[in-house]
Structures are given as structure tokens and as C-alpha cells.
Amino acid sequence: GFEIKGWTTNLSSDSSYVAGGNSTSINDDTDFYAASSKKVTVTIDPLKSNVSLTTLSCTINNLDKNCSVTLPEIVRAGFAIDGYENQSNVGELVKPNTKINISSNQKYNAITHKKVTATFMSNGLSLSSSSASCVIGSNEDKCTITTPNINIDSTEEFEKAGIQVKILKYRLQKGK
């Protein structure tokens, strides 16, 4: 909630207040305004990234509806920087260094990603796929791929690749 600051003659100033019930001097007709403020905070979860600040605060004064903070840079070597995701607006990203208006406490996550690809070398054998890709997300260090099937058409393929598999030859000769 809002904290009562007291009375002020200038709503846009945050400097001088007179507490309720106290005396103050005036020398002309003067308007006094009830002054209040509310501190709101943005908490940033960097996940696996680095950010310069994890807590940003500002003060909503008097009749203002909100105040502003600027989201810091996100750094994660080798990763694409997507931006910040507010936990109450999942899917909507805000770029770093963007000034945002807040009216209540908020939490943002730093969103990054990195696409990685595994390349499979056939060594002369027949593969169902030569590569597989996955995406390492904001809170991950690795991702999972599925390796392709290796298709064996004949023992000649093994010999072309320099692989000696006597058991397979024996089974093929015996028809097993």
C-alpha cells in the first residue's frame, strides 16, 4: 500500500512534507496536498544468464498510477538474447534496455536460447539421418537429441568403413 508522506505544496516535488498535526508557517494563500508514495520493485531472475541488476525499484508518488525502471542488458556467451518475460505475461518479450512502467511488484525472467546441431558421420554405413538439432533454453545447459538408426545392408559396408565384425559375417553365412 501507499505510505502517507504528509502535506506538501508541490505534488511534483519529493522534498518537503509537513506531518499531519504539526504546525507550519505560511505568508500567503497556500494550497496543501496530501502526499503519499508507494515503492514498487521489479525482481529479475537471470536464470543461466548474467544481468547487472537483479532488483530494480521506483516510487509511485501521489496521484501517479505508475513509475518507470529500465531493464538491464542480458549477457550469456554464445546464446541469442531474446529479452525479458514477465511471469504474468508469458510469451510477451521485452527487449533489454527498455524503460517499462510498473504499478505493482513484478518478476521478469531473462530469456535466451541457443540452437545446437549434432552431425553424424556415416563411416561408409547407411544412416537414417545425418544430423539432429535441439535448442538449449534459458534455464538449461544442454538439450537432448535422438541419434539416427544405422542401417546395415551387407558386410561389405563394414569392410568399406574398415570395421571387422566377424560375428555378423558368421551369422550371415549361417542364415541366422
Side-chain angles (χ1 to χ4, degrees):
F2 276 84
E3 171 190 343
I4 301 300
K5 295 284 196 176
W7 294 98
T8 185
T9 57
N10 183 352
L11 273 179
S12 62
S13 172
D14 191 28
S15 57
S16 59
Y17 300 102
V18 177
N22 286 352
S23 299
T24 189
S25 299
I26 60 171
N27 60 5
D28 210 347
D29 292 343
T30 306
D31 292 329
F32 282 88
Y33 304 93
S36 62
S37 68
K38 174 180 157 181
K39 183 178 177 180
V40 290
T41 302
V42 170
T43 304
I44 295 175
D45 187 342
L47 302 173
K48 299 280 183 175
S49 303
N50 293 310
V51 296
S52 58
L53 297 169
T54 56
T55 303
L56 308 165
S57 297
C58 61
T59 302
I60 302 171
N61 288 310
N62 305 312
L63 300 176
D64 293 341
K65 302 285 185 227
N66 54 47
C67 58
S68 303
V69 296
T70 300
L71 297 172
E73 281 292 327
I74 301 170
V75 177
R76 189 171 182 193
F79 280 71
I81 306 301
D82 299 318
Y84 289 98
E85 184 175 62
N86 183 321
Q87 289 186 334
S88 62
N89 293 324
V90 174
E92 294 180 28
L93 293 174
V94 180
K95 294 292 181 195
N97 295 317
T98 299
K99 185 183 239 183
I100 59 169
N101 292 322
I102 58 172
S103 59
S104 61
N105 294 334
Q106 307 269 326
K107 184 170 182 187
Y108 281 79
N109 293 329
I111 306 300
T112 61
H113 77 278
K114 178 180 181 180
K115 182 177 179 181
V116 292
T117 301
T119 304
F120 303 102
M121 306 303 170
S122 68
N123 294 331
L125 300 174
S126 176
L127 303 178
S128 61
S129 175
S130 62
S131 67
S133 297
C134 62
V135 175
I136 302 172
S138 301
N139 205 23
E140 300 168 333
D141 292 318
K142 56 188 172 185
C143 56
T144 303
I145 55 137
T146 301
T147 58
N149 293 323
I150 301 172
N151 302 316
I152 303 168
D153 294 331
S154 69
T155 56
E156 285 85 37
E157 283 193 43
F158 282 104
E159 291 166 356
K160 284 183 206 171
I163 299 170
Q164 299 298 321
V165 183
K166 294 180 182 177
I167 295 171
L168 181 57
K169 284 183 180 180
Y170 176 77
R171 287 184 180 162
L172 287 173
Q173 289 170 353
K174 294 290 184 181
K176 295 182 180 183

